[in-house]
Amino acid sequence: MSTPHYSVVEMSEAEVAQEREVLGGLAGAVRALADASLRSTIDLEEIAEIREAVDGLTERLRREQIEGSFGVSFTPDGTVRGHGNAVVGLRNPIAVPLSIHKDADGRATTAFTLGALYEGPPGCVHGGVLALLLDQVLGECAAASGSPGMTGTLTLRYLRPTPLGDCSIEAWVDRVDGVKTFVHGELRRADGKPTVDVEGIFILPRWAREALEKEGRNPPRFE
Amino acid sequence: MSTPHYSVVEMSEAEVAQEREVLGGLAGAVRALADASLRSTIDLEEIAEIREAVDGLTERLRREQIEGSFGVSFTPDGTVRGHGNAVVGLRNPIAVPLSIHKDADGRATTAFTLGALYEGPPGCVHGGVLALLLDQVLGECAAASGSPGMTGTLTLRYLRPTPLGDCSIEAWVDRVDGVKTFVHGELRRADGKPTVDVEGIFILPRWAREALEKEGRNPPRFE
């Protein structure tokens, strides 16, 4: 089964809740299995048995599946359902997943906890993982301000190490200049000290502007 | 069981090969399960059953495990075994994992394939995932040149979208200025066109310089 990159999904509230429960639950369970696989020190013979059991579950899941790109779906009111997204996707086991709050004044904030799966230098979060999360939060901040775009540039300054554990991100739009949205952000560790300072420029590509104008649609809003 | 952030591991060649086979195999199997969990369209009742089976395997793996940070271990000759690393770690199911080749002339290159687990915009790799991978490759390039460091700044220019599929990265050291190593890199999509241009400045922190000097050790080399 292959799906288009974009589709519109009409579901009842009960169906949305069930989907969140079951599919989100599976992603969460696989995320926990990934963490346990990394950390386990049980003997190699049992590890090999568990690997076979994992292969069996994969085979069952693959009996019917979306091939190629997972894509993005929209609800009828135009809200994006990015369930496959590598940072916020409900169904993506490698996503943290982040839950990003957008204030009325255009600030995007999120708090989360990172464990050994996201480690780089010993005891610290991988600097690239922080870039990954910041890119998503800044992008959603630009979109929430009414000026969505794809990442044009991202400039990250690492101020000090980020220990594994509780972290938070805050992002805000500095200014909009034509098709460019300038967004600033800061990643903070558990004690509140900023560890990464970031600026992103988000640009709505011409093909996307033309498509939106043609359909008389507003720029997308995110769940 | 809690482990120190740094440890030295002495293993025979046969033990190293067995570890790679069994633990790397488990990480690969969990990675495939993550992909299948994202893509599956089998009915929700069976999904719920599979989730329970996953929880059972997690419980078995967690019977004995490393708590907190996974850390980094070294072989007796000082080679880093970053088996937990979020980009290259043998045991990390969220890692691609990248295999990075370092040339005698100081270039670091790697080729890899990214599927739906790493998706951002529909059909394309998440821009933040590209930042994550580039950070790792540039950092290893700095280290391989004899001037390792932690990421100080990272400046990414996104030139065009990167479709899911085959990609490659090439990185090279521009110059070394005291404790700062300036590294350049390029990400290319399957048709060879560059999609992201990046510059990173890697800085060896004072505490690391002092520790190396005190122990009379050389900067670390990576597997």
Side-chain angles (χ1 to χ4, degrees), chain A residues 1 5-6 15 18-19 21-27 29-51 53-55 57-72 83-87 91-94 115-124 126-129 131-133 135-136 150-159 161 164 207, chain B residues 1 5-6 15 18-19 21-27 29-51 53-55 57-72 83-87 91-94 115-124 126-129 131-133 135-136 150-159 161 164 207:
Chain A
M1 178 171 146
H5 287 178
Y6 297 92
E15 285 169 327
Q18 196 194 14
E19 185 187 73
E21 163 74 20
V22 178
L23 297 178
L26 176 66
V30 174
R31 198 174 294 124
L33 180 67
D35 183 77
S37 299
L38 173 60
R39 297 176 182 281
S40 186
T41 53
I42 65 173
D43 64 68
L44 293 183
E45 205 172 319
E46 191 174 353
I47 295 267
E49 272 175 40
I50 290 173
R51 175 193 172 163
V54 170
D55 286 343
L57 298 176
T58 300
E59 207 170 303
R60 284 174 71 185
L61 289 167
R62 289 215 193 280
R63 217 170 51 239
E64 289 172 31
Q65 66 172 8
I66 298 162
E67 302 293 347
S69 154
F70 184 84
V72 164
H83 288 183
N85 184 287
V87 179
R91 292 194 59 179
N92 192 328
I94 75 165
L117 281 175
Y118 303 98
E119 194 167 349
C124 294
H126 195 295
V129 167
L132 165 62
L133 304 184
D135 177 53
Q136 179 70 29
M150 287 176 73
T151 315
T153 66
L154 204 60
T155 309
L156 302 130
R157 265 192 329 133
Y158 293 84
L159 310 171
L164 294 177
W207 60 262
Chain B
M1 180 170 146
H5 287 177
Y6 298 92
E15 286 169 328
Q18 197 196 12
E19 185 188 73
E21 164 74 21
V22 178
L23 298 178
L26 176 65
V30 174
R31 199 174 292 125
L33 180 67
D35 183 77
S37 299
L38 173 60
R39 298 176 181 280
S40 187
T41 54
I42 65 173
D43 64 68
L44 293 184
E45 205 171 320
E46 191 173 355
I47 295 267
E49 272 174 42
I50 290 173
R51 175 194 172 165
V54 170
D55 286 342
L57 297 176
T58 300
E59 208 170 302
R60 284 174 70 184
L61 289 167
R62 289 216 192 280
R63 217 171 50 239
E64 289 172 30
Q65 66 172 7
I66 298 163
E67 303 292 346
S69 153
F70 185 83
V72 163
H83 288 182
N85 184 286
V87 179
R91 291 194 59 180
N92 192 329
I94 76 165
L117 281 175
Y118 303 97
E119 194 168 348
C124 294
H126 194 296
V129 167
L132 164 63
L133 304 185
D135 176 54
Q136 180 70 29
M150 287 175 74
T151 315
T153 67
L154 205 61
T155 308
L156 301 129
R157 266 195 326 135
Y158 293 84
L159 309 172
L164 293 177
W207 60 262

Side-chain angles (χ1 to χ4, degrees), chain B residues 157-178:
Chain B
R157 266 195 326 135
Y158 293 84
L159 309 172
R160 51 181 67 84
T162 307
L164 293 177
D166 295 337
C167 300
S168 63
I169 292 174
E170 185 171 357
W172 57 93
V173 172
D174 257 356
R175 67 183 199 282
V176 178
D177 184 359

